Amino acid sequence: MESNDVDEEEFGFARNHFLAKELRASGKKSARKVSEIDIVDEQELREAYSKVDIKHEKEINDLISSYKDSYSEWRFILRCGYGMLMYGFGSKKALLEDFASTALTEYSVVVINGYLQSINLKQVVVALAELLSDQLKTHPNVTKGTQAKDQQSFHSCSLNDLFSFLDGPHLEKNDECFVCVLINNIDGPALRDSETQQHIARLAACSHIRMVASIDHINAPLLWDKKMVYTQFNWYWCHVPTYAPYSIEGMSYPLILTQNGSAQTVKTAALVLKSLTPNAQNVFKVLADHQLAHPNDEGMPINNLYTICRERFFVSSQPTLNAHLTEFKDHELVKTRRNSDGEDCLYILLGNEALEKLLKDIS
């Protein structure tokens, strides 16, 4: 009797499966389109999100504070030559930065925010080399023949030369001198490609570098092969769920079903420009003024920009201008294209109205 009940149940399941498949095949497709959805402005949605109260805030703070008992152990692990990899649900930005400011005060620390949309890795490595050079100048046990490089020369070095300097035998045996690299979201969008991960792994393997990083994507370990994990990064995996909201990290990600308003773009561009040197801002203003005065042109030829900026003493050489342009391109403020005469031209990714507002904001 029980056998008949099982057969009947299996038959009913199979029949329902094929009936559902038949109904799905004969069903009409919806004529609605995503473009018909009434989307809101991104800035408006972000402002509404910022007003949402955080639940269990006290419990989250207590949990993050409880990890302070492990700070001395984590510092010991770093001194032993391991890299610290923090994983677990929740933002770990506050935890990592508190660890650095509390337990790593005797070392130089460089913070990389991998959640940003673009990062100039070469500039980061140059900054690390400069910090190590400063430490070696005052270190008592520097090996004979080792001379700290002049900081100006690091900008002209290749990545290979910089890695060699960071990995060099500058000190006597059993003496330590290193710079800590703290990476929030090593699996972030700006660091996720294979080439960048290879460079970061090579950086982590340098004898004068110690790395602390966090991951949040479930597939983040797929970024690395066996050699990178066990030989170069030499990870010590640390489970530190915080359950804290990704408020800061989320600001760098475009929101789904929102309209990226020009107001937000201008605000972001203004923040970037205000963080640059006055000469860099002046170079940008020259380019912006040209674009506003010649809206139908394909852009401003680089040679023309250099001539004007040199006459106004904003730059002293072509490499100086190139350094400013690299900053603009890294932050996606400026693009390059060729005009009909074959010249490389620069143009700003903003409309005239937004560009005028940007110039007013940074003046």
Side-chain angles (χ1 to χ4, degrees), residues 304-346:
N304 294 1
L305 178 63
Y306 172 66
T307 301
I308 295 174
C309 291
R310 186 177 173 83
E311 289 173 352
R312 299 181 184 179
F313 300 102
F314 297 153
V315 299
S316 58
S317 63
Q318 186 71 45
T320 306
L321 176 63
N322 292 341
H324 294 323
L325 295 180
T326 300
E327 288 277 2
F328 301 154
K329 291 175 183 176
D330 287 343
H331 291 95
E332 297 183 350
L333 295 174
V334 170
K335 290 282 188 182
T336 307
R337 62 187 171 197
R338 289 196 172 180
N339 62 14
S340 54
D341 295 329
E343 294 179 299
D344 288 331
C345 295
L346 301 163

Side-chain angles (χ1 to χ4, degrees), residues 205-249:
C206 293
S207 59
H208 295 288
I209 295 294
R210 297 294 184 270
M211 188 168 288
V212 183
S214 67
I215 56 173
D216 286 288
H217 199 288
I218 191 171
N219 293 324
L222 298 178
L223 294 170
W224 312 308
D225 56 32
K226 189 175 181 180
K227 176 187 174 184
M228 294 168 71
V229 171
Y230 293 106
T231 305
Q232 294 178 304
F233 284 119
N234 197 20
W235 289 131
Y236 182 93
W237 297 70
C238 202
H239 186 221
V240 286
T242 64
Y243 303 101
Y246 295 94
S247 303
I248 298 176
E249 296 91 331

Side-chain angles (χ1 to χ4, degrees), residues 8-183:
E8 180 65 26
E9 184 178 347
E10 291 181 350
F11 173 75
F13 175 80
R15 180 181 58 191
N16 292 337
H17 169 75
F18 287 108
L19 282 174
K21 196 170 184 180
E22 182 179 346
L23 288 171
R24 190 163 59 245
S26 61
K28 293 183 179 180
K29 293 183 179 180
S30 174
R32 297 182 179 273
K33 300 177 181 178
V34 176
S35 58
E36 296 176 355
I37 299 175
D38 185 19
I39 57 179
V40 298
D41 182 75
E42 181 174 352
Q43 180 67 11
E44 182 182 344
L45 187 57
R46 288 192 187 278
E47 288 177 357
Y49 170 73
S50 66
K51 296 176 183 177
V52 176
D53 294 332
I54 300 174
K55 294 184 178 180
H56 311 294
E57 188 171 6
K58 181 182 180 300
E59 290 80 2
I60 289 173
N61 291 334
D62 291 343
L63 177 61
I64 294 175
S65 296
S66 69
Y67 292 127
K68 292 187 177 185
D69 296 336
S70 302
Y71 283 3
S72 58
E73 178 189 352
W74 295 352
R75 184 177 59 225
F76 175 74
I77 291 170
L78 288 175
R79 294 183 65 180
C80 289
Y82 291 93
M84 296 285 299
L85 185 65
M86 312 298 194
Y87 70 98
F89 184 81
S91 172
K92 291 163 282 295
K93 177 177 170 63
L95 174 63
L96 265 63
E97 293 181 355
D98 184 67
F99 169 58
S101 61
T102 304
L104 302 178
T105 53
E106 58 189 291
Y107 308 107
S108 297
V109 179
V110 173
V111 179
I112 304 174
N113 292 319
Y115 52 79
L116 298 176
Q117 294 299 311
S118 62
I119 294 172
N120 190 323
L121 191 62
K122 172 73 179 291
Q123 289 185 352
V124 173
V125 180
V126 167
L128 292 170
E130 290 175 349
L131 287 171
L132 178 61
S133 176
D134 287 340
Q135 291 185 26
L136 292 175
K137 288 175 182 177
T138 58
H139 205 284
N141 297 325
V142 176
T143 56
K144 288 184 178 181
T146 297
Q147 294 180 347
K149 288 190 174 184
D150 177 47
Q151 290 189 3
Q152 294 297 327
S153 66
F154 286 122
H155 292 277
S156 59
C157 290
S158 66
L159 275 175
N160 288 334
D161 292 337
L162 291 169
F163 287 140
S164 297
F165 176 74
L166 294 170
D167 196 34
H170 302 299
L171 301 176
E172 301 290 347
K173 196 173 182 181
N174 298 327
D175 203 352
E176 68 174 19
C177 178
F178 56 80
V179 180
C180 294
V181 181
L182 192 154
I183 306 180

